[in-house]
Structure formats: C-alpha cells, structure tokens
Amino acid sequence: MVTYEEHVPLSEEDVPYYEDVTPGSGCLPPGAWLPGSDAARLPLGGTWRFRLSPTAASEDASFARPEYDDSAWEELRVPGHWVLQGHGAPAYTNTGYPFPVDPPRVPDENPTGDHRYAFDLPADWPAGSAALHFGGVESCARVWLNGSELGHFKGSRLPHEFEAGSLLRPGRNVLAVRVHQWSSGSYLEDQDQWWLPGVFREVELRHRPEGAVRDAFVHAEYDHRTGQGTLRVDSDPAGRVTVPELGLELATGESATVPVEPWTAETPRLYDAELATSGERVPLRIGFRTVVVEDGLLKVNGRPILLRGVNRHEFDPAHGRAVGADVMRRDLLLMKQHNINAVRTSHYPPDPAFLALCDELGLWVVDECDLETHGFAQQGWRANPVDDERWTPALLDRARRMVERDKNHPSVIMWSLGNECGTGRGLSTMAAWMRERDPSRPLHYEGDPGCADTDVYSRMYADHAEVERIGRRTEEPLPDGTLDARRRGLPFVLCEYAHAMGNGPGGLSEYQRLFETYERCQGGFVWEWIDHGLRQYTADGVRYHAYGGDFGEEVHDGNFVCDGLLFPERVPSPGLIEYKKVIEPVRFEAVGPDGAPGAVRVTNLQDFADLSALAFPWSYEVEGLPVAEGTLAVPPLLPGESAEVKLPAPPEDAPRDGEALWTVRAVLAEDAVWAEAGHEIAWGQLPAAPLPVPRPWTPSAAPRRGTDRTLTLGPGVFDATTGVLSRLGGSPVTGPRLDVWRAPTDNDEGAPWQPGQRCGPEWRRIGLHRMRHRTDAVTAEGDALVVRTRVAPAATSLGFAVVHRWTSDGAALRLEVAVTPQGDWPAPLPRLGVRMGLDGDLGAVRWFGGGPGEAYPDTSAAARVGRWSLPVDALQTPYVRPQENGARIGVRWAELTRPDGTGLRIEGEPHYFFTARRWTSEELDAARHTPDLVAGDRVWLNLDHAQHGIGSGSCGPGVLPKYRLEAAPAAFAFTFRPLE
Ligand code: IPT
C-alpha cells in the first residue's frame, strides 16, 4: 500500500506555503466526522472581523496577535464568502483557469482575506485536548490561535483540524485565519462553478477528552440470502458499541450477525447505536447494505439498481457554497418529491450534514473527491498535476480526507476520484489507497476511458446511440484488448447527461427507455441540480440572477453556470417536472383496443419496495373536466412486477361530444418523511373513447370590399393590400402571419465542442431572425379570401411560399395555411406557425390540451391533457438568460379573455403549440437578464403547427432525428372565434 507519508514533495523552487504543492502542515490526521457526541463543542460561526488585501505579499502576521486592534476592520459573516459580502467579486469560469497556467505558481494578484474572531471560552469548558475544526475554506488557510500559529492547509471542500487545547485560555480567545483566494490547490479545484473564496463551512472547537474517539469505522453489511446484517465497528481507541433495537452490545473490532432490515434508498432503514470509549459517547446511525459489482452489474443487497440521479453542487443564490441545513434539507425534499433517487456530489464532498440527510431520507450517493484539473486540457494536458509525482501527496490527502470523513454513511455507495482530470499516476495512487482503506465501495471516475482504476464504466453526455451500443456491450473497442475486455464487463452509468441549461433538457424519455431496456445501463445523473445564478437587484429593486461576465471578469463562461433543473431560488424548472415524470417508478399503460382500454397495466419500476405505500386514484374526464372519480385496487406488486388492473365501466352519463380520457395516478397513501399523503408519484392517461367526429365547417359569408382599403369577412377585417387581418370581432389584431423564428435556447445555441448541432448560430446565419414578407396576391375565391405571400430572409434565395385561405361561418373565422419551403434548407426550422398580436388586456388564458407547464416535442412527457388556466404572465418560464419558453403542447383550443369575459377562442387542426407573451421573440432574443424583458401593450401569440425539439446541445447531443423540424411542405388550420 502506498502511504501518504511516503511521498516526499520535491521542492524545486522556494515558494511560499500557498504555492507549494503540499497539502499543508500542522493538521491532525483525518478521521470520521462524528457529530452529536457528549464531548463539549463550541461553534465559532458568527460575525467575524475582516480585512481584504489585493495580494498575498504581506508576510506581516501581526494581525494574529490577540491584542491587535481590528476596530477599523469590516464585519464578515462566517461561514461565508467575502466576495458575496461586498469585498471583491465572484468570478465564473468553466474549464479555463482564471490565472496564468504555471503550476504551482499563482499571480501576485491574489486576494487575501485576514479574518479575526474573538470568542469567550465558556467557563465550564473542560481542560485538555481540543480540536479546532474547519469544515471548508477556499482555497488556502493559515491559522493562528491566540497569536500562536497552528499551521496551514489547502483542499477547499475538505475538513481540516488542528490540536488547539494547549493554546486555549479562560475567557477571551482570538482566532486568526489568513485565507488566500489562489494557491497551488486552485490547480486541483478547476470545477465548473464560481470561484468563491472564504471560510464557507462551519468552524468549531471540539473538546477531545482523554480516551475520546479519534476515528471510528462502521462496517455494516447485509446478506440478502440470509436476511442478516453483520456489524463491526472499528474504533481508535477501542470501546463498546450498543444497538438497542437489535439487542446488540459488542466490543469494537468484534462482529455480530443478526437479522436486520436492510438500508436502501427506497427503504432507508437506520438503526440508532452508540459508540462508547473511555472518554466519549458518540451516536451512530447504522444502515446495513452491501454494494458489489458482480456479473457486470452494480448491485446493492443482491439486486441491480437504477440510478435516477442528479449532479449536485452546493449552491445558494445569496450565500454561494455556504449552504445552511435548511438548504440541504430543501434540496433533498425536492429530490425525493421529484422521484430522484441518486446524487453525485459534483465535484467535491458536500457538507457532511448533507450525507447524514441522505442516509435518513434515502438517496444513493456517489461521493466525489475535491479534484478537477480540467483547465490542463487546454494545454494538451501538459503538466497535469494528477500525472506528476510531486502532487501525489496532495491528491492522497484529498482522497483520505474524503474517505475518512464520509466512510460511515450508508448512502455513499461509490467513491469518485474526482472529475475531469485526464489520466495519471496520481489518480491510480488515490484509487489504490481507497481500495485498501475501504474495499466495501466500488470506485468511480469518468476521465479515464480505459477505466483502469474504476469498477464502473462511466461516461458523460454520450448520445442515445452510443448508450445503446454500450447497453448491448458492443461499444467501440479500446486499443488495448485486455482493458477492453475488462471495461466491456463493467456496469455502465452516465455520470453526467441531459444538460439542463435553459429550456430543456430534451430527449430524457429516450435515455430512460435505454436504461430500462439494457441491464448494463444503470441510469445516470442529469447535469445538474441547480442554476448557479447569483441573486442581484436592479436599481429599481427588481430581482434577477447574475452569471459569468456580470462581475467584470476578464475571462468567463457566461451563463454556462446556469444549467440546473432548479432555478436559482430553488423553484423547479419545467426540466425537473419532465425528469420527475420520465423517471417515475410506477408506469401505467393501456391494455385493450385503442380508445377503449378495458384495463391498465401497472408496473412497479422500483428496485426494492413494493407498491404498498401507494394509492391509485383514477378519474374519467371529458374535454378535460372530471366526470367520475375513484380508486383502483392495485395489488402490492413486488419490484419489477406488473399486473393488469381492470378499469371501471365508463360512466353512463358522461357527455358524448367531447374527448374522453382516463387519468390514473399513483400517490402516497400516507405521509412520508419527505412528502404528505396524496403526493403524486406517477400518472398515466389513456384515451377512453374514440374521438367524436368534428362538427363540419360550413362557410356562409363571403369577403366584402370596404371603402377604406379593407376587406371584411365574417368577424374579420383585413388590409386589402397586404391581406393581413387587422380587426377581429371589433378588436385590433396584428397578423396572423407566418413565423419560423424563436429566441434560440441555450440548447439551440449549442457548444463549440458540438459543432454539428449549433442551430442558433446557423439560424442567424441564414437570417431567420429577420424574415421579410411579400404579398403576392389577395383574391376572393368563392367564399374564401386567399392571400398568397412569400416569406424569406435577405441575402439568400431560401424562403416559403404561403397560401392563407380565410373563410367564415358568420361568427368565426377559419384560416387554412399551406406552406411550401423554397430552396435547399441547410438547417431545421425553429418553429412553424403563425404569430399574431392582440390587445394587452387579453390577460387570461384557458386551454384544453397539454399542461400545465411548457412542453416541446422532446420535453413533453410531463404535459398532461386537461383543462388549464393561467394568466399570460404566468405562462412565462423565467430562464436566467431569457430564451424561447412557455409553449403549451397538444392544444385543442385556447381562450384569451379580458376581465369581463370577452376575448378570443382559437381552435387548432391539428392540435397546436400555444405561446403567449407580452414581448416579441425579437425582444426575448435581445434580453440578457430577466429585467430586460418589459411588457408592451400587446399580447403576442405564436400558434405553431410544429416546433423543433430542444435536445441537450448546450453541452451534449442535439435533437434526436425524430424531433427535428425539417423544412417540408405543411398544412394546418385555426379557427378564431370572438367571445362576446
Ligand atoms: C462537464 C463537467 O464535468 C461539468 O463540471 C460541467 O462543466 C458540465 O460539463 C457542463 O456544464 S465537462 C463538459 C465540457 C463536457
């Protein structure tokens, strides 16, 4: 075994401590984080004193003296980041280092924060040893207590402790911490996130009585064949362990095997225990489970698991990575409520309290080390620290601080070496150490295609086709046959997929089908959980969220930091609603002839739990209105089982003239820790009756020429020259005219490394954002007013020939549109439909179709057919960087009304995408932040026959072929019915 001490750093240069490659000096050896013991503890968070210097140059440590006068210093909240408290500014880069790459050196401009905290030691504080604990400091800290230096450390999201007992004094004590924003450690912390220096996790003093626990390691395995758990707790020093509920009382180091209920993410059974040594009593929460890779599969307690995961960064829009217990709990409740069962702690170990909550609430955790050197990719991976012996002690220190701290959490099922470091001997050394220290957990690392050090094959952003090949174990071979054979035998996870930046991600359902089809595909982790938009206010007090570049950074990656399923304030985005539906652990499918299902097939897609915790309400709906409701009797199916459950007879008194559907749902039968009874887990809709025959359309009015260059047809008045509708039912309207433009989404814009699928730039190149309209003919043809136009962008011969055929039955107007593309279209179209402007007082929308949230062709799983109503303002999805949003899919009809109930009803044939907003697509496109969008005096409608899919091209694959909107002839119709 390679030990940590064996690696002697070779110091080539005489550099200051914050630039040398060592992890630090003076710290206590790492051990398990064991909160709640009976030893005295003094939290040291609060209002500290703070001084910021622009460089690290000062050797002057006089501020560390207790008597130093800090009265002129500022106040700073600790835990916290100084850049979020008015000192300096945050900066965002994805992979590029925000300083010259010359490891391990950092620039002179190295913001350095001196911190002082004076505290009173409680009168009853016991004498003897005490550990001064830092949960996380970015990126390098040097520490003094009462003027004596304790040491220094790097490793921002890892714990560090100093022995401080002999320095404590009765009464006033002064802690001084000098924190450098940049250090050699920064080279190892190139994660895609804000650079946020500071003391951002808890600081505390822990009394260490004689005989206190230095370290404890809980080994709690579960044998699914016998139903027995085996417990052994190793402790330094030795002691005794009691588990009252299991009647166990053992010496440490001794094992016992007894019948237990296992821990799983679905059934997070914990046993309260206590470890007592001669000096301390420590509560433990024990979960029995066994994780193995066997038969090419990742199994827990003997069964393969399916990871329905997310990548979680620690983030709060006001406090950055200083996240409180409330934020951690909120994240986990939201995850559980949205069917998420797994977290990858991208890309560093989280606050340990988060893992305790994962144990309690039930999540599978991939605990990732605080390590990423992605910026070296831009240098062809030259001088990559993970492949340079001098850095190995720092790497091992990081591995060790993570594993030792977190090893007792049943939720942690894999260790991850880090993210995006390329390959190197240092990683292998970390892996070897981890295997030796904790053989009970498989290892994960994505960055090495050969998987030399890992137990699972992991990829990020692989497209569906590649995932399918991997699922079949027919992926491209590695050049090395032995490695290839080994990798081909490994289970597969997507450690990142479905880039949730802005509108999207699209294509989730298709990934899920692959995961469910191929046992090798054990799921994945959506990138990522939350947008890291920082809360800001305009001069007028309007809240918005900032992204890269908003703080004057000289290099930055814009809004690539806003790519989560939650908006920054933790409001679920449509992407999260979609993901919840796609990964629902219960599935409903129609059984029987189309439009007359006699039964529904219910499948339990969970891995461990039966269905006994769920109830199954159904409703029978006509035109979106419930006619009858009840509860299905579904047997408590075991994991993987399905059953056909008979549906009741359709209600006899149900109206016959509307579209009829069954909606079947799975809800919590009783309160759970993470949601209340009635909380919805899954749902399905089945057509309940053949569609009624639509009423025939009989035009009865003919176009009439007016005196003032107008044409009148039924309730419509048209401009006789352009053929454009100008009044409808007495109200002014603009359009409708053909529209193919949408404000490109982040996924439309694509990423430089996905050159083939950057639709946004291509659309702009062709000129879809500046289409011109030409009227070719306005003619009366029988009952119809026919308007022929050509719609095209400047500088190309591409265009559309459009024929608008207007008819009226006297009360309503019907528009039939026939579109023929001209030229050789090099790109798919953003959308295809018509745009029209209405009076701004038409502020309320009611519709029958998909809802309640937005949906696009490949993000439509969560759209439920029903009758919905929302104000126009609430139809907007406030993406941090404004972009196309808010379409409602499968709309049969929509009504826009004024407060007095008058307005307009629009029926579509076929169903259409309905979008309404108080600004135009051009204004949406121009906006950089949400306050840039200012409501005008019109409501702009897009009535779309089709939309291009969304995909995941902002980082991963683009739109699947079946969701691409290729330019092709199309015909569609709308009926406009004034509501009076
Ligand atoms: C990948 C990173 O691992 C992750 O941290 C994040 O940057 C994500 O992408 C995109 O948001 S790396 C990517 C360039 C493939």
Side-chain angles (χ1 to χ4, degrees), residues 13 54 59 141 250 307 362 412 438 450 481 552 560-561 580 624 678 728 853 930 969:
E13 294 172 85
E59 296 275 297
L250 327 167
L307 301 166
V412 176
D438 179 19
F560 204 65
V561 77
K580 172 181 179 174
L728 182 55
T930 46

Side-chain angles (χ1 to χ4, degrees), residues 92 94-95 191-192 313 344 346-347 372 374 419-420 460-461 496 499 527-528 560 563 753 955:
Y92 165 59
N94 169 15
T95 63
Q191 293 95 344
D192 175 12
H313 267 286
R344 172 178 177 232
S346 55
H347 302 299
E372 173 160 344
H374 205 164
N419 184 56
E420 295 277 10
M460 48 172 75
Y461 307 105
E496 293 177 24
H499 200 246
W527 186 268
E528 64 176 306
F560 204 65
D563 50 5
W753 54 91
C955 184

